[in-house]
């Protein structure tokens, strides 16, 4: 199965379209989940990274990351992504340095200007959230602080709007493209070009990353209830966040999408681990 979107007029970001694939899973510790066993299993399945969302009511990402690093050997760990308006640049830099040390350098420090619900979290913490311009400035200061303290830390920046995409291109090692779940490949490619153009102007290269909303030929009920996602809607829009078909078909789709969009780093929720693992095996080193 492949997307029905017409890609004939889409141009890929030229410097990343043949980058080797990387695969990550996103998970959050919760009661009843053996986090250490999950970390070991994610590594055994061949994934490159295990990443943790930032949520005020859950286990802090860097704590979960440190635990994962302690029981694995090659798995990269990191937050996906830290809401920087809720922390000082020095605080984030200190956490990044500690995680870098404890993990033996296996860190992907995900940073962003805050999710839509981060404003409510800022209010709960009694700190100002700031305007979009202020939050972008704070994010850039945070990236600078992280790199100054621990230059070897790899920085991921999540971005969606043009200004954020350009900032990410100038400063990040990996850019997580915050496209709508219904965005087609042409839209993802457009976002990727903003990033890679900004990176080229700064004399840098970046890896483009996206997060899959659904993997396989059916969608869990909770995704339909929470996000309104259905197979029919995703197919109708040619959604690049949907990866249907057999493992071989999924692998073919990802290779084609890489050529179109430049995206070589693919993440998904941890509940897709078993469905995505055969694809990881097929595309390792490619």
């Amino acid at each position: 199965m492949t997307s029905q979107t017409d890609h004939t007029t889409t141009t890929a970001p030229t410097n990343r379209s043949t980058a080797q694939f990387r695969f990550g899973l996103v998970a959050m510790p919760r009661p009843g989940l053996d986090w250490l066993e999950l970390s070991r299993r994610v590594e055994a399945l061949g994934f490159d990274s295990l990443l943790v969302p930032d949520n005020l009511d859950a286990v802090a990402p860097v704590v979960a990351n440190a635990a994962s690093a302690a029981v694995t050997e090659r798995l990269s760990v990191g937050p996906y992504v830290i809401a920087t308006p809720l922390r000082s640049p020095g605080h984030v830099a200190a956490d990044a340095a500690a995680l870098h040390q404890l993990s033996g350098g296996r860190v992907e420090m995900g940073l962003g200007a805050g999710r839509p619900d981060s404003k409510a979290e800022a209010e709960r913490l009694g700190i100002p959230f700031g305007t979009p311009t202020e939050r972008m400035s704070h994010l850039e200061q945070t990236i600078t602080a992280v790199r100054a303290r621990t230059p070897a830390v790899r920085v991921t920046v999540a971005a969606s709007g043009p200004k954020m995409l350009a900032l990410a291109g100038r400063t990040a090692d990996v850019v997580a493209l915050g496209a709508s779940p219904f965005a087609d490949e042409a839209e993802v490619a457009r976002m990727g070009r903003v990033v890679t153009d900004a990176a080229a102007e700064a004399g840098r290269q970046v890896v483009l990353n996206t997060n899959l909303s659904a993997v396989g030929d059916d969608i869990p009920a909770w995704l339909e209830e929470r996000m309104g996602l259905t197979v029919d809607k995703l197919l109708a829009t040619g959604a690049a966040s949907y990866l249907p078909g057999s493992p071989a078909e999924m692998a073919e789709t990802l290779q084609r999408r890489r050529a179109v969009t430049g995206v070589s780093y693919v993440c998904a929720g941890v509940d897709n681990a078993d469905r995505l693992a055969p694809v990881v095996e097929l595309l390792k080193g490619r």
Side-chain angles (χ1 to χ4, degrees):
M1 295 177 65
T2 56
S3 168
Q4 297 174 358
T5 306
D6 181 1
H7 310 292
T8 56
T9 61
T10 303
T11 303
T14 56
N15 66 331
R16 305 310 302 171
S17 61
T18 58
Q20 285 193 356
F21 280 109
R22 298 187 73 240
F23 293 90
L25 292 174
V26 182
M28 185 179 296
R30 63 179 187 274
L33 174 66
D34 187 333
W35 183 252
L36 302 184
E37 178 56 32
L38 174 66
S39 302
R40 287 187 286 259
R41 184 166 183 269
V42 168
E43 180 172 66
L45 287 173
F47 288 90
D48 298 287
S49 61
L50 177 59
L51 309 172
V52 180
D54 183 22
N55 187 306
L56 190 59
D57 295 310
V59 175
V62 293
V63 175
N65 297 151
S68 295
V71 297
T72 58
E73 296 181 356
R74 61 162 190 82
L75 195 69
S76 292
V77 298
Y80 194 74
V81 300
I82 290 289
T84 59
L86 307 185
R87 301 163 176 83
S88 71
H91 180 178
V92 177
D95 280 349
L99 189 56
H100 178 77
Q101 178 181 342
L102 293 173
S103 69
R106 294 180 283 134
V107 182
E108 298 180 17
M109 200 66 186
L111 306 173
R115 309 176 312 278
D117 55 352
S118 294
K119 182 176 182 180
E121 293 185 341
E123 292 173 353
R124 290 170 57 190
L125 292 170
I127 59 177
F129 188 57
T131 65
T133 298
E134 290 170 338
R135 296 198 303 276
M136 282 185 59
S137 176
H138 188 82
L139 170 61
E140 191 161 13
Q141 292 171 33
T142 302
I143 296 168
T144 299
V146 169
R147 292 202 186 282
R149 179 154 179 173
T150 317
V153 167
R154 289 168 290 171
V155 173
T156 295
V157 172
S160 55
K163 292 181 179 179
M164 274 294 300
L165 290 167
L167 169 63
R170 294 193 303 270
T171 60
D173 301 301
V174 176
V175 178
L177 302 177
S180 159
F182 297 107
D184 63 13
E185 293 173 12
E187 174 62 11
V188 174
R190 183 198 64 77
M191 296 174 71
R193 285 196 298 273
V194 175
V195 172
T196 53
D197 286 350
E201 289 179 8
R204 308 179 64 256
Q205 285 193 339
V206 295
V207 172
L208 298 180
N209 162 256
T210 56
N211 191 51
L212 296 171
S213 297
V215 178
D217 294 327
D218 61 323
I219 294 179
W222 70 267
L223 274 176
E224 183 173 356
E225 294 170 3
R226 186 179 302 177
M227 302 178 65
L229 300 182
T230 66
V231 169
D232 289 343
K233 285 183 181 179
L234 292 170
L235 288 175
T237 59
S241 72
Y242 181 36
L243 188 62
S246 67
E249 289 169 331
M250 292 183 193
E252 181 182 355
T253 296
L254 288 178
Q255 289 177 303
R256 180 181 54 74
R257 286 180 182 170
R258 180 178 60 181
V260 172
T261 66
V263 171
S264 59
Y265 187 4
V266 180
C267 290
V270 73
D271 54 345
N272 291 300
D274 290 330
R275 292 181 174 186
L276 200 53
V279 184
V280 174
E281 185 175 359
L282 286 171
L283 293 179
K284 270 292 185 182
R286 297 178 65 177

